[in-house]
Amino acid sequence: SGLLKPYAKVMRRFPMYLARGNHDAVKKQQQFMSMPGPGKDLYYSFRWGNARLIAVDTNDRKGMQPGGEQYKWLDNELKACKEKWKFVFQHFPIYSAYGGKMDPRLDEERKLLEKYNVHVVFQGHMHNYDRSFPLRDNKVVEHDGVTYITASGGCGGYEWFPHPHRPWFVARQWRGEPFIGMCNVNGAKITIQFMTSKGLLFDTLSLQLDERKASDDKVAAK
């Protein structure tokens, strides 16, 4: 299939967890996933060490509104979370430099993420890279904010940012050759790095549990 051929070598060594995209039909997603829970492999969560990772199906617009099945599930998952770190990954971005603003269709989800102090949201869809400042109530905050990272580098990362100025919520943005990201969780500290296929490290972010404040390392950025 289109997924198994290019990722065969990687999947032999590492588990792969998917978030449903806008080109993924339900049967297509279920063909590659088998996760417990009510989401029928379209949304789910799992524990990895002291971190909780939650996959959200952002195609499910109705279900992500208050009273919707996925919304209620996400509320319960975050409320019951005992892990120190909370990460969410999904396809459509809540904030993105490409869109230049917060997506109002995902505002109810945003409120949930802030309510339960999610640390980082990993997003896709836009074929480039941007990372927000810590955000809460549509404002940049020093502490207890949610960081949003839009990273869709496997598709090339060549999509132009249409805005002449960097949006107010964006701490880093970058476009170029294909790239990959790594998130290292070490007790009360995480380090997130993104680099290109040619080895250029273009963004690094560190977060500490005790202060929830982003610490940027000085690296190449465009």
Side-chain angles (χ1 to χ4, degrees), residues 69-137:
E69 291 303 314
Q70 187 179 184
Y71 181 95
K72 291 187 291 185
W73 169 84
L74 180 60
D75 191 0
N76 289 330
E77 284 291 314
L78 292 171
K79 184 186 303 182
C81 179
K82 303 299 182 183
E83 288 74 36
K84 294 181 180 296
W85 292 100
K86 302 183 187 75
F87 302 108
V88 168
F89 59 104
Q90 61 190 50
H91 185 73
F92 288 108
I94 296 177
Y95 289 90
S96 79
Y98 188 89
K101 60 182 180 180
M102 190 274 297
D103 187 340
R105 297 171 298 178
L106 298 172
D107 195 39
E108 296 300 333
E109 180 192 3
R110 176 192 64 81
K111 294 174 184 177
L112 272 186
L113 304 181
E114 293 177 1
K115 176 181 179 181
Y116 294 108
N117 295 314
V118 168
H119 297 91
V120 181
V121 179
F122 295 99
Q123 315 165 123
H125 194 61
M126 305 305 182
H127 300 164
N128 41 43
Y129 176 87
D130 65 75
R131 169 173 58 83
S132 77
F133 293 106
L135 302 175
R136 178 172 289 273
D137 293 327

Side-chain angles (χ1 to χ4, degrees), residues 180-218:
I180 191 171
M182 297 179 292
C183 179
N184 181 45
V185 181
N186 185 7
K189 180 179 180 179
I190 64 170
T191 302
I192 300 172
Q193 296 180 313
F194 279 87
M195 64 187 66
T196 71
S197 57
K198 297 179 181 178
L200 172 67
L201 178 66
F202 63 85
D203 196 14
T204 297
L205 172 70
S206 296
L207 290 175
Q208 289 276 358
L209 270 178
D210 56 351
E211 57 185 27
R212 294 284 304 278
K213 183 178 180 180
S215 174
D216 288 319
D217 293 339
K218 301 299 182 181

